[in-house]
């Protein structure tokens, strides 16, 4: 099997060669994937395609790619890692999904770094730009620290290369442009308009590099009366209504335990970037992506927003309970808390049977979910009295294999000793250049056919500056030394 990148001229040349060589087109199994990524490939199967003919096709394919315009006339430079390879028919696992994609990461803190880490987990090469001597803000967020490294920084920066650039210097701006020239995607989270003042905004870079996908992550969006505001998760979660619905019934509003709006915005940005890569395959051009915390927060209100928009129902706090399903919450037990949810009438009948009170499912006040929502407090009082009598492990055993959603409320020690968490491979140990070994939470998704990227440790500040400047941008060592002396890098 010969693997090359997808180009129509290559297909035409292959077909012409096959006919001139006396092969029937049916002898070739051509699978042409309309794929936006440089790693996308054209798979060709024929008994006679390995060897000199496959070398010819790889050469033709390489010529096709080498015709791409360079930085000076407004397009990316050709990839250095584009090759044709002759693979065995028995090979079944493909390269990582984003292999060959390069991301220029100009983000700090959480939403942006989380986005780019997920792209790196999918195989993209991520170059993280940081301030010389300081780096990402989260490098100082602690304690806790591991040695001199912040645990916070560790959580969202694996599989990246760190390059330090002083963007206040003209030479630094030029370095950013040169890295953008050989990148597929740029991700940034500056206040709208700031990068444009330095010639690094989307309007400026899109003219130089029309295939560049430019993703902006902000607090409130690129325009509007809030656009110039700095956006932090907890502030936006208040403005966007999330804190209003989070916390105990009748108590104070609470923030979610992690910065869920930041994380959700990072996820939105990942899907938008993947969609833009697909769109670029059709249009040949990149585009600007506007992701912001406020829009993410409001979009994430889902059923609560629908209740208000369509029924005029103002939201309130329910603690662990659900506004539209009863019972669906945590109950205090003899030694902790136990979560259980009955999503339909059948599950409710089974739940109360397991609790030793099957008569509750026949009570007219609790017969349907609508009845249980109306008579919430009366039912919960009865259930609380039952759950309080036994410890958590008793209820776990009672509900095991019942089909009713249930579980404990674990602390961190219990989470990472949980057998299913360990089975899912969520604790990953990675060699670190100064700390020996660090632990991170591994990727949440597995793939049946696509190979995964071996995890690398979150980088030291500027760890890869020399590598990127010399190997990617072609600077000599003396030029790099001069940039360091001038404190550009």
């Amino acid at each position: 099997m010969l693997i090359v990148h997808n180009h129509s001229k290559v297909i035409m040349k292959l077909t012409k060669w096959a006919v001139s060589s006396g092969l029937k087109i049916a002898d070739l199994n051509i699978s042409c994937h309309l794929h936006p990524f440089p790693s996308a490939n054209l798979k060709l199967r024929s008994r006679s395609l390995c060897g000199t003919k496959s070398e010819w096709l790889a050469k033709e394919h390489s010529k096709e790619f080498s015709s791409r315009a360079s930085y000076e006339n407004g397009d990316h430079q050709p990839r250095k890692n584009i090759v044709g390879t002759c693979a065995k028919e028995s090979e079944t696992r493909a390269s990582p999904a984003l292999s060959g994609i390069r991301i220029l990461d100009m983000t700090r803190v959480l939403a942006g770094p989380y986005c780019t880490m997920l792209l790196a987990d999918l195989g993209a090469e991520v170059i993280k730009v940081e301030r010389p001597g300081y780096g990402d803000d989260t490098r100082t967020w602690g304690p806790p620290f591991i040695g001199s490294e912040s645990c916070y920084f560790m959580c969202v920066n694996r599989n990246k290369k760190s390059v330090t650039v002083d963007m206040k210097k003209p030479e630094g701006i030029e370095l950013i442009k040169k890295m953008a020239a050989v990148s597929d995607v740029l991700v940034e989270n500056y206040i709208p308009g700031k990068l444009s003042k330095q010639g690094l905004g989307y309007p400026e870079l899109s003219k130089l590099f029309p295939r560049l996908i430019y993703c902006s992550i902000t607090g409130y969006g690129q325009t509007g009366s809030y656009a110039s505001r700095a956006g932090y998760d907890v502030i936006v979660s208040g403005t966007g209504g999330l804190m209003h619905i989070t916390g105990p019934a009748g108590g104070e509003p609470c923030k979610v335990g992690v910065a869920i709006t930041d994380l959700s915005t990072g996820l939105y940005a990942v899907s938008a970037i993947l969609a833009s890569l697909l769109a670029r395959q059709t249009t040949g051009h990149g585009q600007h992506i506007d992701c912001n915390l406020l829009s993410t927060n409001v979009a994430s209100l889902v059923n609560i927003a629908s209740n208000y928009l369509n029924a005029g129902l103002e939201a309130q706090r329910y603690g662990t309970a659900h506004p539209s399903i009863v019972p669906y919450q945590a109950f205090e037990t003899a030694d902790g808390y136990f979560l259980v949810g009955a999503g339909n009438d059948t599950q409710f009948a089974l739940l109360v049977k397991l609790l030793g009170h099957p008569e509750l499912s026949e009570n007219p006040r609790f017969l349907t979910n609508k009845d249980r929502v109306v008579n919430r407090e009366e039912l919960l009082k009865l259930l609380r009295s039952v759950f309080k009598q036994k410890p958590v492990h008793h209820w776990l055993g009672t509900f095991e294999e019942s089909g009713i959603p249930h579980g404990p409320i674990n602390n961190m020690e219990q989470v990472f000793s949980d057998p299913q968490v360990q089975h899912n491979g969520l604790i990953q140990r990675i060699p670190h250049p100064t700390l020996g070994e660090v632990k991170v939470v591994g990727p949440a998704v597995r793939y049946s056919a696509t190979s995964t990227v071996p995890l690398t440790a979150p980088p030291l500040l500027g760890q890869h500056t020399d590598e990127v400047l010399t190997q990617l941008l072609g600077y000599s060592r003396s030029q790099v030394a001069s940039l360091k002396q001038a404190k550009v890098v």
Side-chain angles (χ1 to χ4, degrees), residues 168-438:
K168 294 180 180 179
K169 292 182 166 64
E171 299 91 338
I173 299 298
E174 185 64 18
L175 279 176
I176 298 296
K177 289 181 179 180
K178 288 183 177 180
M179 286 189 284
V182 291
S183 297
D184 296 281
V185 181
L186 185 152
V187 188
E188 58 89 10
N189 62 348
Y190 287 81
I191 290 175
K194 184 172 182 179
L195 289 179
S196 282
K197 293 178 181 178
Q198 298 173 292
L200 298 175
Y202 177 71
E204 295 77 32
L205 293 186
S206 63
K207 292 176 183 177
L208 296 172
F209 322 120
R211 287 178 57 82
L212 181 67
I213 293 164
Y214 192 110
C215 179
S216 297
I217 299 175
T218 61
Y220 301 93
Q222 296 294 304
T223 58
S225 58
Y226 295 174
S228 61
R229 292 185 182 181
Y232 267 29
D233 175 278
V234 67
I235 308 301
V236 175
S237 67
T239 304
L242 181 61
M243 285 183 66
H244 174 71
I245 60 174
T246 305
E252 294 183 353
C254 297
K255 68 182 287 291
V256 179
V258 295
I260 196 66
T261 300
D262 271 339
L263 298 176
S264 298
T265 304
L267 288 167
Y268 266 109
V270 169
S271 64
I273 288 168
L274 296 179
S276 296
L277 286 166
L278 283 169
R280 190 178 71 177
Q281 174 67 14
T282 302
T283 66
H285 294 281
Q287 62 183 304
H288 183 247
I289 299 168
D290 175 6
C291 287
N292 67 85
L293 304 186
L294 180 62
S295 295
T296 293
N297 193 305
V298 175
S300 299
L301 294 175
V302 288
N303 59 299
I304 302 299
S306 184
N307 290 348
Y308 175 77
L309 293 174
N310 295 292
L313 180 64
E314 182 55 79
Q316 56 182 298
R317 289 182 286 283
Y318 283 92
T320 63
H322 195 288
S324 304
I325 307 172
V326 177
Y328 191 101
Q329 65 184 81
F331 291 93
E332 188 176 4
T333 70
D335 64 348
Y337 289 88
F338 181 74
L339 284 160
V340 67
N344 56 55
D345 298 337
T346 301
Q347 286 185 344
F348 176 71
L350 179 55
L351 184 150
V352 293
K353 179 180 179 181
L354 292 172
L355 294 179
H357 292 275
E359 72 281 1
L360 292 177
S361 64
E362 300 175 0
N363 188 318
R365 290 168 296 179
F366 313 135
L367 200 60
T368 67
N369 181 69
K370 180 180 178 181
D371 298 326
R372 295 190 291 274
V373 171
V374 171
N375 298 291
R376 176 191 300 268
E377 290 307 318
E378 182 181 357
L379 175 59
L380 292 181
K381 183 178 180 180
L382 295 170
L383 297 181
R384 288 184 184 116
S385 66
V386 177
F387 279 111
K388 184 69 173 175
Q389 297 172 16
K390 301 289 184 180
V392 171
H393 71 84
H394 170 83
W395 298 118
L396 288 172
T398 299
F399 282 84
E400 184 68 26
E401 299 184 2
S402 67
I404 297 175
H406 69 280
I409 296 180
N410 287 334
N411 61 26
M412 292 303 101
E413 180 181 6
Q414 292 166 327
V415 168
F416 290 107
S417 61
D418 185 281
Q420 190 64 43
V421 170
Q422 295 183 353
H423 172 78
N424 288 353
L426 293 174
I427 306 171
Q428 297 287 320
R429 294 170 172 82
I430 310 175
H432 189 277
T434 62
L435 302 175
E437 182 181 82
V438 295

